[in-house]
Amino acid sequence: MEKTKYSLGYRNSYVLQQYRCLLSIFTGFIILLFMSNTAFALATNPGAVCSNSFSQGSLTNADYTNLVSAVNTNNYVNILGNAGGSIPLQVKMTTVESSTSTVKSNFGVITTAGTSAINIQRTFPNISAYTDIIFDFRNALTSQPIYLTNVALSAFDIDYANSNGNTFDDFVEITGVTQAGSTISGTFQPITGSNIMFGQPPQGLQGLFTRTASDPNCTAKNLGTQCQGSVQFSQPVASVKVRYTNTGYLNSATNQEIDLRVDNYCYVPQYIFTGTVFDDNGGITAAQANATNDDITSSGSIYTNKPNYFNGVFNSPQESGISGSTVKLVNCANTATTYATQIVNTGSPIGQYQFSVPIATFNNNTNICLIEEYSGTAYPIRTTSDNKNTGFTTTTYLYSNNDFGRVIAANAALVLKKAQYINNCPNTLNYTDPSLNTANNGDPKTGFSTGSISNMTPGQCIAYRITATNRANIPIDNFIMQDILQKKGVNNATVTSVLTTPAREANVFNDGLSNGQNGTIKTISQTLPKRDKRIFYFNTKYGTTVDTQ
């Protein structure tokens, strides 16, 4: 910062002497003006470089404003200097004062020649007091720490004063935290025209300060090169701390200030795929689940009004993740080509998986799928496909909510109920007669019933009503109902049953059976709509011992 270190004295002289003096002052002003156009210009941090395959970013002017506005709020700021989204960076900025007696004159943003920086002004109570400015880096897509490479920073207006009642000796220490958790110092980046050096003053720290015979007392807030000190971290870091204090060469400290910029960071763009393998029970617990409950309308049924049950969507917190699955990132065209494999979390958050991979992983392929495989037995039924196409493009970096649903057997979508009615084989039997389809009928001789059959007379018929109920909130595609007619000698059957009149519903069955034949009753492939029922009827003659086929 600029402080007057001397005063001009004037004395009377001849006009010629005054003219010469004025000419010298004017010449000196021109020289100083020329110097200001060079020495007071911000220099590029030599460490502001990135290797091939890395995206390169730096804080924008708006980023400085946003960070200062959010300082000490514990909030992360979305960084605009994100290389077109390829560096998903959020930063949280915090300050820590070592002494409550420190006078915090300013913590704001200054802009010089279109370039912004953070300005920190302090009056420290002693030479060992300090202010820490901490930058924490977080991945905007995953909310996890992000380790940036070649993080480079510059501090400006690092100078000293020891006259006219103003005493200070700026010292700036810049450290970072690596992925291993260790703290490292930024590596000094020499700048042509700068008087700043890197070393260890009496305070015992490693950092930036000025210590030459011709050190200037720099102009404040102009981001000048002479008082600019720059560093770059040799390892990726997820946090940077800038400590502003005094060197300890002087015995006291008064009003002092520096400016600070984040010049550079590098990052290999990562493509992130996330999701959860979950229990798609819609809140129907294992204790409540019932594999035979086909009631989806009565108020007393657990399966009534359950829009989140078996809908293929992870509805948290009503539903939770489950363990036991492995998820693979694969080539859709050749799923044997696996790019990454992960067992889903067994702890919190249970069932979750996440892949973070660079573009080089895919070897120029953009047809990327996720496959889920389950190794357990508790959740055997899928509610989603086991193969999801991610819709991958090179300009999109986050692919979230690639969830896979499963349920226990008792929460299966399809419920098949088989009722039977003993009849005397009339050709005019009306399957849908209301009198034959009364609810909770316990006698199969009076109508369709799930009750047991006894005292059957050979030659009588048994009509069957098979009800297929889709309890799920998604349709069941490619549904085919099959029922095997009993045959003597097979599965302990003592008699053979054959298909008989009346005719079955047209355009529903696709088994090729005619009346008098034994075999498998089979419907056409069809879609069973969500939350719906389909009923199938047919009649069989019981007790025939002659194989008519």
Side-chain angles (χ1 to χ4, degrees):
M1 62 197 68
E2 186 175 33
K3 303 293 180 184
T4 303
K5 293 185 179 179
Y6 57 87
S7 61
L8 295 177
Y10 296 96
R11 66 176 185 272
N12 295 327
S13 61
Y14 293 105
V15 173
L16 181 59
Q17 291 173 318
Q18 291 176 328
Y19 173 77
R20 287 174 177 171
C21 180
L22 289 173
L23 181 61
S24 297
I25 292 173
F26 177 73
T27 302
F29 173 76
I30 295 298
I31 294 172
L32 287 173
L33 180 63
F34 174 76
M35 290 175 61
S36 69
N37 287 332
T38 56
F40 294 163
L42 176 149
T44 300
N45 186 330
V49 294
C50 294
S51 302
N52 291 337
S53 78
F54 283 78
S55 290
Q56 184 174 26
S58 62
L59 297 187
T60 68
N61 286 353
D63 288 330
Y64 288 108
T65 300
N66 294 337
L67 283 169
V68 167
S69 297
V71 67
N72 295 328
T73 64
N74 201 37
N75 293 325
Y76 281 86
V77 172
N78 289 315
I79 297 302
L80 301 176
N82 61 9
S86 62
I87 307 178
L89 178 61
Q90 292 179 328
V91 176
K92 179 178 70 174
M93 187 164 66
T94 310
T95 61
V96 177
E97 305 293 342
S98 67
S99 172
T100 57
S101 299
T102 297
V103 177
K104 296 176 284 187
S105 304
N106 185 55
F107 192 90
V109 177
I110 57 104
T111 301
T112 299
T115 300
S116 293
I118 298 172
N119 175 261
I120 305 105
Q121 295 182 33
R122 295 291 186 265
T123 299
F124 292 115
N126 52 64
I127 60 173
S128 62
Y130 60 81
T131 296
D132 284 343
I133 304 98
I134 302 166
F135 299 88
D136 290 314
F137 306 142
R138 187 173 80 171
N139 191 311
L141 303 180
T142 66
S143 297
Q144 299 298 313
I146 186 171
Y147 291 86
L148 302 175
T149 301
N150 287 7
V151 174
L153 297 90
S154 292
F156 302 86
D157 196 15
I158 303 173
D159 55 5
Y160 76 98
N162 190 22
S163 62
N164 297 327
N166 194 35
T167 304
F168 64 87
D169 195 358
D170 288 333
F171 182 78
V172 180
E173 181 192 44
I174 304 177
T175 58
V177 179
T178 69
Q179 197 160 5
S182 59
T183 299
I184 61 173
S185 295
T187 302
F188 183 54
Q189 305 292 305
I191 293 176
T192 302
S194 171
N195 295 321
I196 303 306
M197 61 186 301
F198 185 90
Q200 182 173 318
Q203 292 283 58
L205 305 174
Q206 289 283 336
L208 305 167
F209 62 103
T210 181
R211 187 61 53 206
T212 67
S214 59
D215 288 343
N217 190 225
C218 293
T219 301
K221 303 179 181 66
N222 79 333
L223 307 181
T225 301
Q226 281 186 303
C227 293
Q228 173 182 348
S230 298
V231 300
Q232 181 217 67
F233 287 100
S234 60
Q235 300 179 47
V237 294
S239 178
V240 168
K241 181 175 72 176
V242 179
R243 174 162 292 185
Y244 181 33
T245 183
N246 284 271
T247 62
Y249 285 117
L250 301 179
N251 294 323
S252 61
T254 55
N255 183 41
Q256 56 195 103
E257 66 181 286
I258 59 167
D259 306 306
L260 185 65
R261 281 182 53 82
V262 179
D263 301 315
N264 185 75
Y265 38 82
C266 310
Y267 183 72
V268 176
Q270 299 289 300
Y271 295 89
I272 298 171
F273 305 85
T274 68
T276 301
V277 181
F278 67 100
D279 183 356
D280 198 3
N281 63 11
I284 301 173
T285 66
Q288 297 169 321
N290 186 336
T292 63
N293 184 352
D294 64 344
D295 186 351
I296 56 175
T297 57
S298 300
S299 60
S301 173
I302 193 65
Y303 291 95
T304 298
N305 194 27
K306 287 294 188 293
N308 294 337
Y309 157 73
F310 211 119
N311 66 349
V313 178
F314 184 26
N315 302 110
S316 177
Q318 188 179 45
E319 297 172 336
S320 60
I322 57 177
S323 61
S325 288
T326 299
V327 180
K328 297 180 179 179
L329 194 64
V330 301
N331 183 333
C332 296
N334 179 11
T335 57
T337 301
T338 301
Y339 302 117
T341 301
Q342 186 177 123
I343 298 174
V344 301
N345 288 351
T346 55
S348 181
I350 189 170
Q352 191 176 90
Y353 70 91
Q354 176 180 300
F355 298 106
S356 182
V357 295
I359 188 64
T361 301
F362 302 132
N363 194 26
N364 296 321
N365 177 43
T366 58
N367 193 15
I368 309 300
C369 284
L370 290 160
I371 291 179
E372 181 260 347
E373 299 172 349
Y374 182 66
S375 60
T377 58
Y379 296 89
I381 300 171
R382 299 183 183 279
T383 67
T384 59
S385 170
D386 66 334
N387 188 322
K388 290 180 178 286
N389 192 309
T390 64
F392 180 79
T393 64
T394 57
T395 56
T396 300
Y397 298 94
L398 177 63
Y399 301 85
S400 57
N401 301 322
N402 286 290
D403 304 319
F404 297 93
R406 287 181 170 273
V407 292
I408 61 175
N411 264 333
L414 181 64
V415 178
L416 294 174
K417 285 285 185 73
K418 188 176 184 179
Q420 46 204 3
Y421 165 52
I422 300 173
N423 62 87
N424 292 319
C425 312
N427 294 331
T428 58
L429 175 64
N430 182 4
Y431 293 124
T432 61
D433 185 341
S435 66
L436 300 179
N437 290 274
T438 58
N440 302 316
N441 176 31
D443 185 358
K445 292 182 179 181
T446 61
F448 288 103
S449 171
T450 58
S452 60
I453 293 178
S454 61
N455 300 320
M456 183 78 178
T457 302
Q460 284 187 299
C461 287
I462 303 177
Y464 292 99
R465 183 191 68 198
I466 298 180
T467 304
T469 301
N470 180 9
R471 305 187 296 191
N473 287 279
I474 53 177
I476 298 176
D477 294 323
N478 304 314
F479 170 75
I480 298 175
M481 189 281 293
Q482 297 186 88
D483 190 61
I484 302 174
L485 299 182
Q486 70 175 14
K487 186 175 183 179
K488 184 178 180 180
V490 178
N491 294 327
N492 300 317
T494 58
V495 294
T496 296
S497 293
V498 296
L499 187 66
T500 190
T501 57
R504 296 176 292 176
E505 184 179 356
N507 302 318
V508 171
F509 295 88
N510 188 34
D511 48 38
L513 291 181
S514 300
N515 289 339
Q517 289 185 316
N518 176 269
T520 299
I521 304 294
K522 182 178 179 182
T523 68
I524 61 173
S525 177
Q526 56 196 287
T527 295
L528 193 57
K530 66 179 184 179
R531 311 291 293 173
D532 201 1
K533 296 175 181 285
R534 288 296 308 272
I535 301 176
F536 308 95
Y537 296 95
F538 57 93
N539 200 15
T540 64
K541 194 164 186 179
Y542 175 80
T544 300
T545 58
V546 177
D547 190 350
T548 60
Q549 299 185 77

